[in-house]
Amino acid sequence: MTATSLRLVAHAHTTALRRARFGGPDDGLDEGGLRAALALAQARRGHLGVPDACVSSPGVAATATAGALGLLPTVEVALADCDHGDWTGRSFEEIAVEQPQALHEWMSEPESAPHGGESVAAVRDRVGRWLDGQRGADRRITVIAHPLVIRIAVVHALDLPLAAYRQVDVEPLAIVRLTGRGARWHLRLGAPRVD
């Protein structure tokens, strides 16, 4: 039976992530994020393996993280971060003060998009379609994407209720491994190699 091995790597820190702002596709890595990605590349040299393919979100932070890791990704639009519409660039705190009901709706109802952008359910649909298309490809693929996209991918892969994405934390530069065999994905947790 053929298997697909995915390494989902969350892009490094951006100013929006550090300041709890709704980011956008043009958000680049901040100085600390770039340093951390370069340090990860150095520390993991030889341990990340050589993928058969590397794909990334079209976001600047994802492509910059891939570059810092020494990877040349193909951009995959299906892996884009959520479009936060009118909230892009604004902080959670601002939205909580100005639009508390809308923020509550967005955080409690994955089908909701009060900001005029994309719902979490819509992100799950496109990320899930892409993920399902990779199963059984007998390839090793490294994916660089926003932490939210990886959270949603894990929930989809494990066939969990979509609301569970809020209970999955993915930090910048976290590496999540999924293995696809047949009709199922398996979450693979392992210790880092130190040799």
Side-chain angles (χ1 to χ4, degrees):
M1 179 182 297
T2 60
T4 301
S5 174
L6 295 179
R7 286 183 187 203
L8 307 173
V9 181
H11 69 60
H13 265 295
T14 65
T15 300
L17 277 176
R18 287 193 199 274
R19 295 187 178 161
R21 292 190 173 278
F22 290 95
D26 298 330
D27 291 342
L29 301 180
D30 65 14
E31 190 175 318
L34 179 58
R35 278 196 316 270
L38 292 169
L40 176 64
Q42 186 63 34
R44 303 281 304 221
R45 194 156 317 280
H47 298 297
L48 281 174
V50 179
D52 297 317
C54 176
V55 296
S56 81
S57 154
V60 172
T63 58
T65 298
L69 295 175
L71 300 168
L72 298 171
T74 299
V75 170
E76 176 54 63
V77 175
L79 299 173
D81 187 17
C82 183
D83 173 1
H84 298 293
D86 295 337
W87 295 356
T88 300
R90 302 190 61 206
S91 72
F92 277 57
E93 187 176 284
E94 286 176 83
I95 303 302
V97 168
E98 296 171 18
Q99 300 175 43
Q101 185 57 39
L103 184 60
H104 173 74
E105 178 185 319
W106 181 75
M107 293 185 72
S108 60
E109 301 171 24
E111 297 79 19
S112 170
H115 45 54
E118 189 175 28
S119 70
V120 171
V123 176
R124 187 252 348 258
D125 290 347
R126 67 174 159 78
V127 170
R129 277 191 302 274
W130 181 85
L131 192 62
D132 291 345
Q134 307 311 306
R135 210 173 21 232
D138 199 25
R139 300 187 320 157
R140 292 170 300 171
I141 305 169
T142 296
V143 175
I144 315 291
H146 189 280
L148 175 64
V149 170
I150 295 174
R151 291 164 58 196
I152 291 170
V154 168
V155 166
H156 177 81
L158 299 179
D159 200 26
L160 298 172
L162 180 55
Y165 87 93
R166 290 190 291 280
Q167 296 166 286
V168 177
D169 290 327
V170 175
E171 296 180 1
L173 295 175
I175 301 171
V176 175
R177 295 181 65 190
L178 294 173
T179 304
R181 295 184 193 281
R184 296 184 194 263
W185 285 103
H186 299 270
L187 177 63
R188 187 166 181 195
L189 304 173
R193 293 177 50 182
V194 293
D195 51 301

